[in-house]
């Protein structure tokens, strides 16, 4: 700790900065974050990059290294076109959930912005990554960078060996199913990413060591016993129903080569790594925004940044948490930064200055006097859906004047189901929580049956919610990819809760992988 | 905490991905470049820039719900007037509700992105299937050269001009009467001889005194003084910048259809790119003519119509005038391309031929005549020879720097262009270029 609180000194007084400034800012921010807010973070690594490198990082989903695929080039071109036109500014930072936690900050930022970014990313996001239960279950901060390195090299080696086109086609197919390549519920122990490469090597060596051409010629009897197995047994063997389609293919697709299974595995594991982020957008951004707000405010109170810098900070902070009304032309859904930040500030208020209403609604935290303890617990144990379901307060609903609208296809009108009144609070809260439930956002598609000894047709069900079917234009190409991977016919049924089939899509393999 | 400065890391990390993307979308990008280049000014063709390709070709499909249908629920902020149970007519919801359906903007029809100038020209030229043009020489290179620029009194030791320095040194030594080694040796020998033989003591003392003075002078006057030093000096000089001017001549009389003009424009564009790759500076002069010729800007050249007869020689006169006026052939490489449907007033043919042969061709590095024909061949199987074609036919083969071709369709342009420039390397060699 370099900063001594009784001797306040400006960290910087101009917009430009050098490495000593960054170090001073970091030390001051760290002092507030660890001692006053009690955050618990991975060690930090701050990397300064240019705008172009930021675009590069965008293109590979923010990761410092990634395998090569044309779609990343497409995203780069897209971002670049938008950026060059000046339509959109680049993000100030990108932060990676790894140990050490890497934050990219841009060289164009002013000293104030660097302070904001360090507080936001290096402490806010970092704390969330380290403590939230979803990240603990699904991601491996130690292993992610080595695993990506392995993935990159493995795919490059495959390209070398089997040709770029073959690998590209496989990746196209795998990417199409990426959103259905995650386990949504914890299974046995999470994958040990660090040893993936070693295990893959060992598998290969073992396969080569035990290879004996004679086995090929031995007539098998297995098929007889398989044929006898009843449907229940068959499904149990294949772990059906299975919602992780990529996992199912990796395990069971009859015609894939070992390397193709490994590539599917790579795509699936990286998708799994990002899975928690999509479920904690409001919380993650809210946590980071709340932290940077508290930290910057403390720095100002301690006299470490001057009025000018504080105003600059406030300006960009208000831009970040801006929430236009639904009838505003700028409205594009609820802003997760704004919602998360507002809810967390609200929790702070409930802890310190509760009203009677708050005491009714939140008896366990109202008036506890220690908002940071309550927040730290919330950050650790909730995801967006449960967080909103539990902590969206009536006061905030009133403040934001939230209302709930139902749009039924057959009606000529939208129905206002609930507004910010006593009758509506709980309904609004439940609806908003569901809007953030990944199980509700992503269509629920499962592999339900396949007869490996028969025609091998793969049957999937889409469990339709609210009569919303799948997007026809998208289903067709995805299903084609799936059929190519599977190697046999594929049938996707859209099924209502009562079991009635609303629609069927079928695809036959055209160009199989083998 | 570590701070790492990554700014100096090589950029372009996603270059490989970009190339894959372009390769993937090649057919689409190529046709986008092709249609885009039609709308561009000739001079902008090698600038790169935004192009749009249909999104379908580079779509990344995934399983997701449809944007419409079913029962949907929204929680929205900023309620102003609604009460529970209110019914809002769907027809006047309009845009206000925001677009929940496509959060990542996938709904657009076109995918827009920027191509760099090199990528653009590569795709453009690839589209044309041009031969390996880089092998062709065009006389002047443009690297700045150094030449000797006399001597200076200061400079780097590597550039020390020895002879010049020693010459200065010698002159100074002579002027200051610095005794040379031989004189000293003579003195020493004489003294030694006198001492050995014990000769004339006065003479001896005089000699010793002279020797002492000589040695003193040698000490005082250095063999090489900083004053003598001379260094070779070099100056950069601009080699004459290779510059070219390209004359586009076109008949704009009513008989030229839009199709013909488009053919001509593509040919001019090709020639421009071709020249641009070889000359640092390329001017374009547009001369259009009916029964009279005038210099115009590109817009007018391609898009405005004029009425009148067709007198080709007027264009040549105008061109000769402009050359005399602004582009002295000693300083400029002059290229000309003429596009016409082949009509000419019959009385003018002779004048035209003479002008071309005696005035224009001697000025030009290369003169290409492009006869553009309607897309549909005319009825009858006797090939119709146009006036101009017949007139120019006489020059064909006679003049090395003259070429003529006929094109009917857009797809003919590239082969014709290629043929024009290939033939010249083979048959006439590099002499006339």
């Amino acid at each position: 700790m370099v900063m001594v609180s009784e001797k306040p000194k400006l960290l910087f007084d101009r917009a430009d900065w050098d490495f000593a400034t960054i170090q001073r800012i970091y030390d001051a921010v760290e002092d507030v974050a660890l001692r006053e807010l009690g955050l618990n973070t991975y060690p930090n690594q701050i990397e300064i990059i240019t705008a172009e490198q930021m675009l590069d990082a965008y293109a590979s989903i923010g990761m410092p290294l990634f395998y090569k695929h044309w779609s990343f080039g497409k995203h780069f071109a897209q971002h670049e076109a938008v950026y060059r036109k000046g339509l959109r500014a680049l993000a100030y930072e990108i932060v990676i959930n790894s140990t050490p936690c890497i934050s990219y900050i841009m060289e164009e930022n002013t000293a104030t912005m660097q302070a904001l970014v360090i507080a936001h990313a290096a402490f806010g996001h970092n704390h969330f990554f380290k403590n939230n239960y979803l990240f603990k279950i699904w991601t491996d901060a130690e292993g992610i960078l080595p695993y990506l390195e392995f993935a990159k090299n493995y795919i490059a080696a495959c390209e070398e060996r089997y040709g770029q086109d073959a690998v590209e086609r496989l990746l196209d197919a795998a990417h199409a199913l990426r959103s259905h390549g995650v386990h949504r519920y914890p299974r046995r122990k999470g994958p040990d990413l660090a040893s993936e490469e070693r295990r893959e090597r060992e598998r290969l060596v073992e396969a080569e060591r035990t290879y004996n051409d004679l086995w090929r010629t031995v007539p098998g009897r297995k098929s007889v016993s398989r044929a006898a197995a009843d449907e229940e047994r068959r499904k149990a063997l294949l772990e059906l129903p299975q919602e992780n389609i990529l996992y199912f293919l990796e395990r069971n697709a009859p015609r894939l080569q070992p390397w193709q299974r490994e590539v599917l595995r790579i795509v699936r594991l990286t998708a799994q790594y990002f899975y928690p982020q999509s479920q904690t957008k409001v919380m993650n951004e809210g946590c980071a925004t709340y932290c940077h707000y508290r930290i910057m405010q403390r720095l100002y109170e301690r006299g470490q940044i001057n009025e000018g810098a504080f105003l600059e900070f406030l300006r960009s902070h208000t831009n970040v948490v801006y929430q236009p009304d639904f009838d505003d032309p700028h409205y594009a859904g609820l802003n997760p930064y704004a919602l998360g930040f507002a809810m967390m500030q609200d929790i702070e208020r409930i802890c310190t200055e509760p009203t009677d209403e708050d005491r009714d609604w939140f008896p366990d935290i109202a008036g506890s006097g220690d908002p940071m303890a309550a927040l730290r617990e919330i950050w650790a144990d909730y995801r967006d859906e449960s967080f909103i379901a539990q902590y969206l307060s009536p006061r905030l609903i009133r403040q934001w004047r939230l209302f709930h609208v139902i749009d039924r296809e057959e009606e000529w009108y939208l129905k206002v189901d609930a507004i910010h009144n006593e009758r509506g609070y709980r309904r609004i809260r439940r609806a908003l929580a569901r809007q953030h439930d990944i199980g509700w956002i992503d269509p629920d598609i499962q592999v339900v049956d396949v007869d490996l000894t028969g025609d091998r047709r793969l049957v999937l069900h889409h469990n339709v919610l609210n009569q919303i079917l799948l997007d026809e234009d998208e289903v067709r190409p995805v299903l084609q990819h799936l059929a190519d991977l599977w190697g046999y016919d594929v049938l996707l049924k859209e099924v209502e809760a009562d079991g009635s089939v609303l629609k069927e899509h079928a695809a036959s393999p055209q160009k199989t992988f083998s | 905490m570590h701070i790492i400065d990554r700014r100096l890391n090589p950029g372009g990390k996603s270059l490989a991905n970009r190339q894959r993307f372009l390769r993937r979308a090649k057919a689409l990008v190529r046709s986008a470049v092709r249609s885009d280049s039609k709308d561009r000014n000739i001079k902008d063709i090698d600038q790169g820039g935004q192009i749009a390709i249909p999104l379908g070709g580079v779509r990344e499909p995934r399983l997701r719900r449809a944007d419409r249908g079913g029962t949907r629920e929204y929680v929205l902020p900023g309620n102003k007037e609604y009460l529970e149970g209110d019914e809002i007519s769907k027809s006047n919801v309009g845009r206000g509700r925001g677009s929940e359906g496509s959060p990542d903007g996938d709904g657009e029809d076109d995918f827009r992105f920027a191509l760099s100038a090199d990528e653009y020209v590569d795709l453009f030229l690839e589209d044309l299937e041009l031969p390996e043009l880089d092998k062709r020489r065009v006389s002047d290179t443009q690297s700045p050269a150094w030449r000797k620029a006399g001597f200076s009194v200061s400079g780097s030791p590597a550039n020390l001009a020895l002879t010049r320095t020693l010459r200065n040194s010698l002159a100074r030594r002579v002027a200051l009467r610095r005794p040379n080694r031989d004189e000293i040796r003579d003195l020493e020998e004489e003294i030694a001889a006198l001492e050995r033989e014990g000769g004339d003591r006065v003479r001896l003392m005089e000699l010793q005194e002279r020797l002492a003075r000589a040695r003193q002078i040698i000490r005082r006057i250095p063999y090489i003084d900083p004053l003598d030093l001379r260094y070779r000096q070099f100056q950069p000089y601009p080699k004459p910048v290779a510059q070219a001017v390209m004359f586009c001549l076109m008949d704009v009389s009513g008989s030229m259809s839009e199709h013909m003009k488009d053919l001509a424009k593509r040919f001019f564009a090709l020639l421009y790119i071709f020249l641009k790759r070889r000359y640092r500076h390329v001017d374009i002069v547009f001369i259009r003519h009916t029964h009279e010729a005038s210099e115009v800007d590109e817009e007018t050249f391609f898009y405005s119509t004029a009425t009148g007869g067709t007198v080709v020689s007027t264009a040549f006169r105008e061109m000769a005038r402009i050359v005399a006026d602004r582009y002295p052939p000693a300083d400029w490489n002059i290229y000309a391309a003429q596009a016409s449907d082949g009509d000419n007033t019959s009385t003018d043919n002779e004048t035209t031929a003479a002008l071309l042969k005696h005035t224009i061709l001697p000025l030009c590095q290369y003169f290409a005549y492009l006869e553009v024909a309607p897309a549909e061949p005319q009825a009858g199987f006797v090939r119709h020879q146009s006036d101009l074609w017949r007139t120019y036919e006489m020059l064909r083969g006679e003049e090395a720097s003259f070429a003529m071709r006929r094109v009917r369709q857009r797809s003919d342009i590239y082969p014709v262009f290629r043929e024009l420039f290939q033939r010249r390397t083979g048959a006439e060699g590099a002499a006339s270029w």
Side-chain angles (χ1 to χ4, degrees):
Chain A
M1 262 357 92
V2 183
M3 301 314 301
V4 185
S5 26
E6 60 262 26
K7 200 185 156 207
K9 203 177 122 223
L10 279 185
L11 295 169
F12 50 85
D13 53 4
R14 277 172 309 174
D16 47 345
W17 48 267
D18 53 20
F19 292 100
T21 321
I22 299 273
Q23 184 70 51
R24 275 202 307 280
I25 292 172
Y26 180 86
D27 290 335
V29 170
E30 185 182 40
D31 187 43
V32 178
L34 302 191
R35 280 214 328 226
E36 299 188 16
L37 303 187
L39 301 184
N40 170 21
T41 59
Y42 292 122
N44 272 305
Q45 177 166 319
I46 289 174
E47 306 199 352
I48 293 152
I49 59 174
T50 59
E52 194 205 336
Q53 288 168 322
M54 187 58 111
L55 281 167
D56 276 348
Y58 270 26
S60 55
I61 336 183
M63 302 309 284
L65 70 176
F66 221 74
Y67 57 82
K68 297 194 184 339
H69 188 251
W70 63 269
S71 61
F72 306 133
K74 173 187 156 188
H75 295 150
F76 180 87
Q78 206 165 20
H79 290 307
E80 192 190 26
V82 172
Y83 174 63
R84 296 250 185 275
K85 264 201 249 159
L87 290 185
R88 195 186 301 158
L90 291 175
Y92 297 121
E93 41 78 28
I94 285 185
V95 57
I96 292 169
N97 169 23
S98 64
T99 321
C101 177
I102 302 174
S103 314
Y104 293 114
I105 62 180
M106 283 221 292
E107 63 170 348
E108 282 90 353
N109 296 349
T110 61
T112 315
M113 289 309 300
Q114 303 293 31
L116 166 62
V117 162
I118 288 171
H120 181 90
F123 289 94
H125 282 306
N126 191 346
H127 172 84
F128 195 79
F129 288 148
K130 188 170 177 191
N131 295 283
N132 186 264
Y133 80 105
L134 277 177
F135 287 86
K136 279 186 183 167
I137 294 174
W138 291 120
T139 68
D140 173 10
E142 298 270 346
I144 183 63
L145 294 182
Y147 183 71
L148 288 179
E149 173 97 52
F150 155 73
K152 187 179 173 201
N153 293 337
Y154 188 87
I155 286 178
C158 286
E159 282 180 345
E160 189 91 340
R161 201 159 156 192
Y162 306 104
Q164 235 181 59
D165 291 337
V167 176
E168 181 171 299
R169 211 159 65 81
L170 181 64
L171 282 175
D172 285 352
H175 283 185
L177 294 163
R178 186 159 47 181
S179 57
H180 290 82
V182 291
H183 293 301
R184 293 183 200 280
Y185 306 98
R187 301 155 48 79
R188 51 198 165 78
K189 209 175 128 275
D192 181 11
L193 299 180
S195 60
E196 276 306 314
E197 189 178 11
R198 184 176 49 75
R199 283 175 51 199
E200 165 61 16
R201 256 204 315 274
E202 283 171 4
R203 272 201 289 274
L204 250 173
V205 170
E206 180 66 11
E208 277 170 18
R209 196 179 62 77
T210 56
Y211 177 74
N212 189 337
D213 199 43
L214 276 181
W215 288 117
R216 198 171 45 78
T217 64
V218 177
R221 268 185 310 172
K222 263 188 179 164
S223 52
V224 184
S225 62
R226 276 270 174 89
D230 62 353
E231 197 183 316
E232 282 304 310
R233 191 172 138 65
R234 187 174 77 204
K235 284 190 175 179
L237 274 177
L238 291 172
E239 299 178 77
L240 293 179
Q242 174 61 263
E243 60 179 350
N244 191 337
I245 300 176
L246 281 181
Y247 174 74
F248 179 82
L249 288 172
E250 177 198 327
R251 292 278 303 265
N252 301 315
R255 297 169 76 164
L256 292 184
Q257 304 286 318
W259 69 270
Q260 291 167 331
R261 294 178 203 277
E262 186 63 31
V263 170
L264 293 190
R265 184 177 174 78
I266 286 170
V267 172
R268 156 174 102 69
L269 289 182
T270 45
Q272 190 81 59
Y273 172 82
F274 289 108
Y275 180 59
Q277 310 214 353
S278 55
Q279 301 185 59
T280 53
K281 228 177 159 146
V282 171
M283 289 199 73
N284 201 345
E285 294 304 351
C287 167
T289 308
Y290 181 79
C291 287
H292 82 224
Y293 185 72
R294 284 284 299 264
I295 291 170
M296 293 301 280
Q297 207 170 20
R298 278 301 291 153
L299 290 183
Y300 174 62
E301 283 164 15
R302 283 156 59 149
Q304 287 177 312
I305 56 174
N306 58 24
E307 277 90 353
F310 193 61
L311 270 179
E312 183 189 348
F313 153 70
L314 281 178
R315 186 176 163 275
S316 91
H317 173 79
T318 33
N319 281 342
V320 166
V321 298
Y322 173 58
Q323 174 63 60
D325 283 350
F326 77 102
D327 49 0
D328 189 304
H330 293 118
Y331 180 76
L334 284 171
N335 174 356
Y337 292 82
L339 182 61
F341 180 66
M343 284 182 66
M344 281 158 199
Q345 278 215 313
D346 198 43
I347 288 167
E348 181 187 328
R349 181 192 58 78
I350 292 169
C351 290
T352 49
E353 303 157 7
T355 60
D356 287 345
E357 181 186 48
D358 295 326
R359 286 186 208 281
D360 279 352
W361 281 68
F362 309 102
D364 46 342
I365 60 166
S368 74
D370 187 358
M372 276 320 291
L375 280 172
R376 278 199 303 270
E377 201 167 298
I378 290 168
W379 290 335
D381 297 336
Y382 289 83
R383 58 178 184 150
D384 285 352
E385 183 226 349
S386 52
F387 173 59
I388 293 170
Q390 189 112 12
Y391 288 104
L392 185 66
S393 74
R395 185 189 161 105
L396 194 63
I397 294 177
R398 287 196 297 273
Q399 201 180 323
W400 279 40
R401 305 182 81 84
L402 292 175
F403 65 115
H404 177 212
V405 179
I406 296 180
D407 172 4
R408 290 200 180 79
E409 194 183 7
E410 63 276 10
E411 310 275 17
W412 58 271
Y413 57 84
L414 306 173
K415 183 161 179 251
V416 178
D417 176 62
I419 63 162
H420 54 280
N421 59 19
E422 206 61 49
R423 280 162 52 83
Y425 295 143
R426 288 190 195 275
R427 262 185 281 168
I428 287 177
R429 194 158 84 164
R430 198 164 48 238
L432 188 62
R434 207 157 47 199
Q435 220 170 312
H436 288 87
D437 180 3
I438 194 131
W440 192 265
I441 302 167
D442 280 354
D444 175 16
I445 296 172
Q446 305 193 348
V447 181
V448 291
D449 194 17
V450 57
D451 183 2
L452 278 181
T453 53
D455 62 359
R456 293 189 169 176
R457 187 168 68 164
L458 189 67
V459 183
L460 298 99
H461 279 182
H462 168 221
N463 296 321
V464 177
L465 264 177
N466 288 343
Q467 303 99 47
I468 304 176
L469 297 177
L470 292 173
D471 188 337
E472 176 92 40
D473 293 341
E474 301 270 309
V475 170
R476 233 175 297 113
V478 177
L479 223 54
Q480 187 57 54
H481 280 309
L482 180 58
D484 289 346
L485 283 172
W486 178 243
Y488 299 92
D489 287 0
V490 171
L491 179 68
L492 172 64
K493 293 182 185 173
E494 308 211 39
V495 190
E496 266 286 18
D498 60 9
S500 58
V501 177
L502 297 178
K503 200 170 182 182
E504 287 192 0
H505 311 264
S508 304
Q510 289 176 351
K511 224 176 141 194
T512 55
F513 296 87
S514 50
Chain B
M1 195 267 304
H2 301 285
I3 303 178
I4 299 179
D5 190 355
R6 294 264 183 227
R7 286 173 294 180
L8 296 178
N9 281 21
K13 223 167 63 172
S14 55
L15 192 66
N17 287 329
R18 181 180 178 82
Q19 283 164 347
R20 277 158 203 247
F21 167 61
L22 286 182
R23 184 170 55 85
R24 168 105 180 181
K26 192 162 208 167
L28 295 170
V29 175
R30 198 162 47 195
S31 63
V33 165
R34 182 190 289 185
S35 63
D36 180 73
S37 60
K38 212 167 43 179
D39 305 333
R40 287 190 180 201
N41 287 342
I42 287 180
K43 278 205 172 191
D44 295 338
I45 260 183
D46 57 352
Q47 295 296 304
Q50 282 269 333
I51 63 161
I53 60 175
L55 195 61
V58 288
R59 198 167 53 164
E60 299 167 83
R62 63 193 173 83
L63 294 171
R64 55 160 211 208
R65 295 216 177 94
D67 293 337
R68 37 189 76 250
T71 302
R72 284 155 200 278
E73 299 184 32
Y74 309 98
V75 174
L76 303 169
N79 181 14
K80 292 178 186 71
E81 48 190 306
Y82 301 128
L83 293 174
E84 187 184 333
D86 277 1
E87 292 170 356
I88 312 164
S89 168
K90 279 186 191 173
S91 52
N92 53 27
V93 171
R95 268 195 47 78
R97 216 187 55 212
S99 54
E100 302 265 351
S102 75
D104 42 12
D106 268 357
E108 290 184 357
D109 295 339
D110 277 353
F111 178 67
R112 304 192 150 270
F113 65 101
L115 281 179
S116 77
D118 277 347
E119 286 168 339
Y120 195 95
V121 171
D122 278 353
L123 281 161
F124 187 74
L125 291 183
E126 185 198 87
D127 190 18
L128 312 174
E129 293 181 324
L130 285 175
E132 181 59 35
L133 284 177
D134 290 327
K135 299 261 165 64
R136 299 192 41 79
R137 58 146 277 295
V138 176
S139 48
D140 329 62
T141 51
Q142 295 134 41
S143 56
W146 293 83
R147 68 176 162 209
K148 284 184 185 170
F151 298 90
S152 74
V153 292
S154 63
S156 122
N159 288 338
L160 185 66
L162 270 184
T163 19
R164 183 60 67 112
T165 303
L166 284 176
R167 195 200 299 168
N168 284 346
S169 155
L170 181 64
R172 183 178 47 82
R173 279 179 277 129
V174 170
L176 294 176
R177 294 171 198 283
R178 185 183 189 273
N180 61 20
R181 218 184 303 160
D182 290 352
E183 286 174 62
I184 303 271
R185 200 183 54 231
D186 288 348
L187 279 172
E188 283 171 339
E189 271 170 13
E190 208 176 335
I191 290 170
L194 279 173
E195 278 174 348
R196 213 167 37 240
E197 294 156 12
D200 190 354
R201 295 195 63 84
V202 182
R203 170 79 181 150
L204 182 64
M205 280 178 62
E206 187 199 347
L207 284 175
Q208 278 171 336
E209 195 184 337
R210 267 171 60 191
L211 180 65
R213 198 164 58 232
R215 288 211 165 113
Q216 211 175 3
I217 292 174
I218 282 181
R219 238 186 347 267
R220 237 184 262 147
I221 300 171
Y223 186 79
I224 291 183
D225 189 272
L227 278 174
D228 308 329
L229 295 181
R230 289 296 179 273
Y231 297 88
R232 290 189 299 271
Q233 205 184 13
F234 296 95
Q235 266 179 350
Y237 77 103
K239 260 191 167 177
V241 173
Q243 48 191 2
V245 57
M246 168 179 155
F247 285 89
C248 302
L249 313 176
M250 187 162 72
D251 176 6
V252 292
S253 62
S255 56
M256 286 285 282
S257 67
E258 277 308 309
H259 169 72
M260 291 166 161
K261 282 185 184 176
D262 181 54
L263 289 180
K265 181 176 176 183
R266 297 180 82 82
F267 185 81
F268 292 145
L270 273 180
L271 188 59
Y272 176 70
I273 290 178
F274 178 71
L275 294 176
K276 184 84 184 188
R277 287 213 152 179
R278 266 137 208 90
Y279 295 99
R280 179 171 294 171
H281 182 80
V282 181
D283 274 8
I284 304 188
V285 178
F286 296 101
I287 299 174
R288 65 168 192 175
H289 72 88
T290 50
H291 62 279
E292 54 188 13
S294 57
E295 185 186 353
V296 293
D297 59 25
E298 186 176 340
E299 199 58 31
T300 322
F301 186 71
F302 285 113
Y303 299 112
S304 81
T305 47
T307 48
T310 310
V311 184
V312 177
S313 60
T314 55
F316 288 159
R317 287 213 181 83
E318 178 72 4
M319 174 173 161
R321 185 189 67 75
I322 292 170
V323 168
D325 224 23
R326 308 208 299 258
Y327 300 105
D331 298 341
W332 292 80
N333 296 298
I334 299 172
Y335 296 85
Q338 185 191 6
S340 160
D341 57 357
D343 286 350
N344 197 15
T345 312
S346 49
T347 51
D348 185 52
N349 285 341
E350 222 160 292
T351 332
T352 306
L355 260 178
L356 184 61
K357 185 167 179 184
H358 300 298
T359 315
I360 301 297
L361 287 182
L363 290 176
C364 287
Q365 235 83 356
Y366 193 54
F367 186 100
Y369 170 64
L370 190 76
E371 190 161 304
V372 287
E376 296 304 319
Q378 283 137 337
F381 49 89
V382 179
R383 206 167 166 201
H384 169 75
Q385 296 276 345
S386 72
D387 292 337
L388 268 184
W389 190 268
R390 274 201 303 277
T391 311
Y392 287 167
E393 195 98 64
M394 297 183 295
L395 291 168
R396 201 179 194 176
E398 208 177 298
E399 296 287 340
S401 55
F402 177 75
M404 53 198 279
R405 285 290 179 283
R406 183 183 278 123
V407 294
R408 199 174 283 286
Q409 265 142 21
R410 193 180 285 163
S411 53
D412 296 346
I413 293 275
Y414 319 125
V416 160
F417 187 80
R418 174 187 178 138
E419 203 185 331
L420 283 178
F421 288 93
Q422 258 185 348
R423 205 175 66 84
R424 294 195 48 74
T425 35
E428 289 89 17
S432 58
W433 273 73

